[in-house]
Amino acid sequence: MLTPDQQAQFREQGYLVLPGFKSPEQIAAVRERAGQIVAGFDPSENRPVFTTQEQDRKVDDYFLESATEVRCFFEEEAHDEQGRLRVPKELAINKIGHALHDLDPVFERFSHGPELAAVARDLGLTRSQVWQSMYIFKQPGIGGEVRWHQDASFFDSEPITVTTFWFALEDATRENGCLWVEPGGHRGPLRERFVREGRQVKMETLDTTPWPGPDYGAVPLEAEAGTLVLFHGLLPHYSAPNRSPVSRHAYTLHVTDAASAYSQRNWLQRGIELPVRGFI
């Protein structure tokens, strides 16, 4: 699937952009299904909020159990001071996660297949394990910032093998919160580790190397709908808040190599009731 030049770019830069990887029909199918999931979600049952600004907090059962479920999470700014939604429900959801790729037939088809398996092999993943899926809305006006981070912080293994498959379901631009990355930054250290202890999680600081920024080392990855962006688990990346009037839907998969030892301290664990599996 990947040319030698593309493989070399991934090794050297830590990321690769593949335009036109998914068809408009495939994108329409998962977008429609995401809308159906949100329509069936009852916000009165709970107020799950996803934020990367509060990693050192208690995380309730709703979040932890989403490892093997399909659950909706609100944007941080979705509610007012009285706890009421500021916007309609369909414009208030930050993401759906984290087992869409295994539990929902529409997302399962989108998330598996020989093409994705071939890409993974070309990146060096000899035995792929797809741990997590997320449908990210990046809502207009209130789409939250995702601070600088490395995905290996959440999917630690020995050696580190986690690779992110990020699909643009709408055009991603600077205006609506596209990804920013640090080319070559995957050769740096793992700065943080997000670990689970019982029913709580916390972020451990491992290295104080500064994060990049727009003025020192970061570049935007604007991408048209259908694009697949691949990036190494140690690659620092970020997305700004979306204050524009248009959303930036995306879908991500986090994949490790079964040849590496997946950490038992990672927040997301799978058991025999829903074993982790590969692309095919």
Side-chain angles (χ1 to χ4, degrees), residues 52 64 111 119 154 188 194 217 244 253 265 279:
T52 58
L64 291 175
S111 308
V119 169
F154 304 88
F194 189 64
S244 81
L253 299 169
R265 299 185 72 200
F279 282 117

Side-chain angles (χ1 to χ4, degrees), residues 180 212-218:
W180 288 72
D215 298 324
Y216 51 101

Side-chain angles (χ1 to χ4, degrees), residues 129-163:
Q129 293 182 307
V130 186
W131 287 94
Q132 173 180 277
S133 51
M134 296 189 298
Y135 189 106
I136 303 168
F137 290 86
K138 204 72 166 181
Q139 299 285 8
I142 63 169
E145 173 188 15
V146 178
R147 70 176 181 86
W148 282 100
H149 67 284
Q150 299 159 296
D151 286 347
S153 295
F154 304 88
F155 300 92
D156 192 20
S157 65
E158 180 56 47
I160 290 173
T161 59
V162 66
T163 304

Side-chain angles (χ1 to χ4, degrees), residues 50 73-75 92-96 135-139 144:
F50 176 73
F73 297 83
F74 286 116
E75 292 279 5
I93 302 298
N94 169 280
K95 71 171 182 176
I96 308 171
Y135 189 106
I136 303 168
F137 290 86
K138 204 72 166 181
Q139 299 285 8

Side-chain angles (χ1 to χ4, degrees), residues 110-121:
F110 190 92
S111 308
H112 295 87
E115 288 187 340
L116 287 170
V119 169
R121 286 194 299 270

